[in-house]
Amino acid sequence: MANDQNPKSEPFSNAEKDPDDWTTGDEPMTGAQASYLKTLSEEAGEELDQRLSKAEASKRIDALQEKTGRGAN
């Protein structure tokens, strides 16, 4: 008999997980985050804080995308 509950049938996306719950959220932001934040900060006319953690950077990206309209579908 086949197992109907295949955990891979509905993959979990980390992109949907709250940054406050990330196990690596306290680590320094990634290079990709820093680069994108630099672009968004310049577009929004705001300062870039280089000391953000991964989780803080993710939240800041969301806020700046909202402000600049970059994240809109």
Side-chain angles (χ1 to χ4, degrees):
M1 294 190 123
N3 184 353
D4 290 335
Q5 294 184 354
N6 180 351
K8 293 185 179 181
S9 65
E10 294 184 38
F12 179 79
S13 171
N14 281 339
E16 296 174 10
K17 191 173 182 182
D18 187 330
D20 288 331
D21 295 333
W22 293 355
T23 56
T24 60
D26 291 335
E27 293 177 6
M29 71 176 134
T30 66
Q33 285 178 311
S35 176
Y36 191 42
L37 272 174
K38 182 177 188 295
T39 300
L40 288 172
S41 296
E42 288 171 358
E43 287 184 11
E46 297 192 12
E47 293 258 339
L48 169 61
D49 183 352
Q50 296 281 351
R51 300 166 298 170
L52 296 176
S53 68
K54 283 183 185 177
E56 291 167 336
S58 179
K59 291 179 197 177
R60 188 73 180 130
I61 287 169
D62 289 344
L64 289 174
Q65 282 180 327
E66 181 93 16
K67 184 173 182 176
T68 63
R70 263 193 177 248
N73 292 335

